[in-house]
Amino acid sequence: MERNQASDKWFQDSAARSIHQEQLSRVELFNGRAAMLGIVIGILTEALTGQGIVHQIGLGPLVDGYAACSARFLPFCF
């Protein structure tokens, strides 16, 4: 009887791992497609507006301040 329960648990665990792996595969595929779409939209917006992706997401002042920083203080320009 105990051996049968151990066997059942092994099958349940194996099925759960298989389902989890399938779900993980689908989620990773969706995330990759969403990232590719986001990059394409960012590049198209950059072509239309002239603003880079960094400016589009609101980090433009940070990049602009870093570029305007003096070269001798470069490590401390954050």
Side-chain angles (χ1 to χ4, degrees), residues 3-72:
R3 180 181 166 114
N4 194 15
Q5 288 176 348
S7 178
D8 287 346
K9 181 167 176 18
W10 182 84
F11 282 121
Q12 289 173 354
D13 290 345
S14 178
R17 276 193 303 272
S18 176
I19 291 170
H20 176 72
Q21 195 68 22
E22 183 180 334
Q23 289 173 341
L24 185 63
S25 176
R26 287 182 183 176
V27 167
E28 287 297 325
L29 187 62
F30 177 80
N31 285 342
R33 288 176 179 169
M36 288 185 282
L37 184 62
I39 291 294
V40 168
I41 290 172
I43 290 171
L44 289 175
T45 305
E46 181 177 354
L48 293 173
T49 64
Q51 287 188 336
I53 293 176
V54 177
H55 284 84
Q56 294 172 28
I57 62 174
L59 296 177
L62 178 68
V63 173
D64 293 340
Y66 183 76
C69 193
S70 174
R72 66 184 183 144

